[in-house]
């Protein structure tokens, strides 16, 4: 256990682990049972999109610290019936870390429940490092991120042969991202990238205006999927030129996944080699080996 000064300074914990590779990296794989507090991805909203591992951990939990309204209340009601649930909204690290540490050291089974997947804009690692610094082991249980729920809703793929070879998970400039750190225009300019914008619903009009100023095709398809997989899900389709106004008319200022690129429409793609020439070649090769 560290002294009181270190306990109340999470930055000390972050700095202390810099550059050190944990031996557990080589001992455990994702989905394995491990000791400590799991950081579980709740998925995009629909309780059925919670992983089996996540559901099992929640069922055994005494305390679930969750991401407030970002986690569907139906999921909490269905899978956390026997646990105390505490929202992390409005709580800083100095409050969250002692809350989880004390419960764990008292013998409670603690689960930290993040929305989507903890690895995508989840701010999970700083909590994990702070807990580890105080002797509480932690680990990650993946979840379904909202970009995947959005593509499922749109009945398309984020990657399509001869249309989109790459996917970019990004966010627009704002309070926490400087202008020179916003690469949305660069991703769109590559042409064969499906650009998925997180945490940017409030700035869609501004972002699209910048894309137009940079000379991008105004007819490039864009979809905004509000609350992907939630009961109140809404799909708004448009283009770089029109999506901003459409989203503003709908009144959404948060909680929409914005997807830019030709894969949005799922059109004009080429048949993949997987079930074409490559598959046939594989059969021929097998037959040749049998003949030999």
């Amino acid at each position: 256990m560290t002294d009181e000064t270190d306990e109340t300074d999470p930055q000390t914990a972050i700095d202390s682990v810099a550059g050190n590779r944990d031996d557990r990296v080589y001992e455990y794989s994702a989905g394995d049972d491990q000791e400590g507090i799991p950081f579980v991805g709740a998925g995009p909203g629909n309780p059925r999109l919670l992983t089996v591992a996540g559901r099992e951990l929640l069922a055994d939990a005494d305390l679930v610290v969750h991401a407030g309204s970002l986690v569907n209340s139906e999921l909490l009601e269905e899978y956390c019936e026997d646990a105390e649930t505490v929202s992390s909204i409005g709580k800083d690290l100095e409050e969250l870390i002692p809350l989880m540490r004390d419960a764990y050291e008292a013998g409670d089974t603690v689960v930290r429940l993040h929305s989507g997947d903890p690895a995508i804009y989840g701010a999970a690692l700083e909590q994990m490092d702070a807990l580890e610094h105080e002797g509480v082991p932690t680990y990650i249980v993946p979840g379904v991120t909202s970009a995947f729920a959005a593509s499922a809703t749109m009945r398309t793929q984020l990657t399509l042969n001869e249309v989109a070879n790459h996917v970019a998970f990004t966010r627009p400039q704002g309070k926490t991202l400087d202008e020179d750190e916003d690469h949305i225009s660069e991703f769109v300019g590559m042409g064969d990238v499906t650009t998925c914008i997180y945490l940017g619903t409030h700035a869609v009009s501004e972002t699209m205006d910048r894309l137009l100023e940079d000379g991008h095709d105004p007819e490039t398809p864009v979809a905004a999927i509000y609350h992907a997989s939630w009961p109140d899900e809404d799909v708004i389709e448009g283009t770089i030129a029109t999506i901003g106004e459409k989203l503003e008319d709908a009144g959404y200022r948060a909680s929409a996944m914005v997807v830019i690129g030709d894969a949005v429409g799922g059109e004009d793609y080429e048949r993949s080699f997987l079930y074409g020439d490559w598959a046939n070649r594989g059969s021929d090769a097998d037959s040749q080996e049998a003949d030999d």
Side-chain angles (χ1 to χ4, degrees):
M1 183 64 66
T2 59
D3 62 35
E4 185 175 352
T5 301
D6 285 349
E7 287 181 8
T8 57
D9 180 15
Q11 188 62 49
T12 300
I14 295 171
D15 295 340
S16 70
V17 300
N20 297 324
R21 175 62 69 188
D22 196 305
D23 289 340
R24 287 170 294 181
V25 169
Y26 312 106
E27 298 171 3
Y28 297 100
S29 298
D32 287 351
D33 289 331
Q34 298 186 46
E35 180 184 355
I37 296 178
F39 278 62
V40 176
N46 190 319
R48 294 186 64 208
L49 296 180
L50 179 69
T51 66
V52 173
R55 183 182 63 190
E56 292 174 347
L57 289 164
L58 290 176
D60 292 336
D62 300 307
L63 172 65
V64 176
V65 180
H66 62 87
S69 61
L70 297 177
V71 174
N72 192 340
S73 60
E74 293 181 5
L75 184 151
L76 298 175
E77 293 168 2
E78 185 168 352
Y79 298 126
C80 306
E81 183 178 2
D82 297 326
E84 177 187 359
T85 58
V86 176
S87 171
S88 63
I89 301 299
K91 295 180 174 60
D92 57 21
L93 288 181
E94 286 76 7
E95 185 174 358
L96 282 173
I97 301 309
L99 170 68
M100 293 186 284
R101 178 202 64 206
D102 293 348
Y104 181 79
E105 291 180 346
D108 289 341
T109 301
V110 180
V111 171
R112 178 66 168 106
L113 188 64
H114 275 245
S115 59
D117 181 286
I120 306 295
Y121 299 117
L125 194 58
E126 60 199 60
Q127 301 171 66
M128 297 172 68
D129 284 346
L131 286 166
E132 295 276 351
H133 188 63
E134 299 194 21
V136 178
T138 62
Y139 61 100
I140 292 175
V141 177
V144 177
T145 188
S146 57
F148 298 156
S151 66
T153 288
M154 296 295 294
R155 295 178 177 270
T156 187
Q157 296 178 198
L158 298 179
T159 60
L160 279 174
N161 194 37
E162 299 299 326
V163 174
N165 295 312
H166 315 280
V167 180
F169 290 172
T170 187
R171 60 183 299 183
Q173 60 185 263
K175 293 182 179 179
T176 58
L177 196 72
D178 293 336
E179 182 177 347
D180 60 356
E181 296 173 321
D182 183 332
H183 301 295
I184 294 174
S185 185
E186 297 170 45
F187 296 139
V188 174
M190 292 178 185
D192 63 343
V193 176
T194 302
T195 303
C196 303
I197 302 178
Y198 288 74
L199 306 171
T201 311
H202 64 287
V204 169
S205 290
E206 298 171 12
T207 300
M208 297 303 137
D209 287 344
R210 288 197 299 271
L211 293 178
L212 292 173
E213 291 172 2
D214 288 344
H216 296 295
D217 184 355
E219 297 303 312
T220 301
V222 183
I225 299 86
Y226 171 76
H227 262 180
S229 85
W230 291 61
D232 60 346
E233 176 187 81
D234 192 9
V235 178
I236 300 173
E237 298 180 79
T239 64
I240 287 178
T242 65
I243 195 67
E245 183 176 354
K246 288 185 175 184
L247 198 57
E248 287 184 359
D249 289 344
Y252 301 134
R253 296 284 295 170
S255 303
M257 167 57 58
V258 179
V259 184
I260 306 173
D262 291 333
V264 167
E267 301 170 353
D268 300 327
Y269 66 92
E270 298 292 332
R271 176 177 176 176
S272 72
F273 291 112
L274 181 60
Y275 301 113
D277 293 342
W278 285 2
N280 294 333
R281 183 178 64 181
S283 298
D284 292 343
D286 291 343
S287 297
Q288 183 64 43
E289 288 179 4
D291 290 340
D292 291 344

